[in-house]
Amino acid sequence: MYDEPLMQVLDQTDALADQIRQSELFDAYQKAKQALVEDREAQRLYSQFLKSKVQYDEVQRFGRYHPDYQEVMLATRRLKREYEMHDTVVAFKKSETALQQLLDEIVTIIATSVSEHVKIDAGTPLFEALTTGGGCATGATCQCRV
C-alpha cells in the first residue's frame, strides 16, 4: 500500500509543513492568537456574546412570535459586532485569514499540478480566482490577486 515514492511525498509534506510553521506569517498568527487568549477584554466580550447566543437560539425556536425576539436579536448582533471589532480580535482574524490564504494557495497549486480536473472544495474567493483563471497564470506563488 505504501511504496517508496509515496513515502517520499509524505516526507516532503512534513518538510513543507515545517517550512510553513517557520514562516513569518505563521509566527504573526501565533502571536495574534496568544494576544487574543491573553486579552481579558476580548474574552469578556466573547463570553457576553456566548451568553446572548444561548438566548438567541432559544428565541429562534419560536421566531418572531417570541415576545423578546427583536430585543434578543439586536442585542446578540450588537455583542457580536462589538467582539469582532475589538482590536485584538481584528488582528487575529487578519492573521488567520492570511495564513488560510497561504494554505489555500498551496492546496490549489498542488491539486491543479496533479490534474486540472481535481475538485477543490473551499469557500474562499482565492480558490474561485485560482480555479477560474483569475489568479496567477503561471501557478506560481507570485502574490498576484484579483
Side-chain angles (χ1 to χ4, degrees), residues 39 66 102 115 126:
D39 187 332
H66 192 284
L102 172 65
S115 169
L126 173 65

Side-chain angles (χ1 to χ4, degrees), residues 4 9-10 36 42 44 51 82 84 87 100 139-140:
E4 187 59 32
V9 169
L10 293 175
L36 181 59
R44 183 188 67 76
K51 287 177 185 175
E82 190 175 347
E84 289 179 345
D87 291 341
Q100 185 63 52

Side-chain angles (χ1 to χ4, degrees), residues 63-122:
R64 292 186 304 217
Y65 301 107
H66 192 284
D68 298 328
Y69 176 80
Q70 194 70 18
E71 179 183 321
V72 171
M73 298 294 283
L74 291 174
T76 302
R77 276 190 240 134
R78 181 184 53 78
L79 289 169
K80 181 179 181 188
R81 188 176 328 112
E82 190 175 347
Y83 171 72
E84 289 179 345
M85 297 305 292
H86 187 71
D87 291 341
T88 309
V89 176
V90 170
F92 172 73
K93 293 287 186 183
K94 282 182 181 179
S95 66
E96 181 181 49
T97 299
L99 182 59
Q100 185 63 52
Q101 285 178 335
L102 172 65
L103 296 171
D104 292 347
E105 188 171 352
I106 290 168
V107 167
T108 300
I109 291 168
I110 292 170
T112 56
S113 295
V114 171
S115 169
E116 57 186 49
H117 301 290
V118 171
K119 302 277 189 240
I120 302 169
D121 184 28

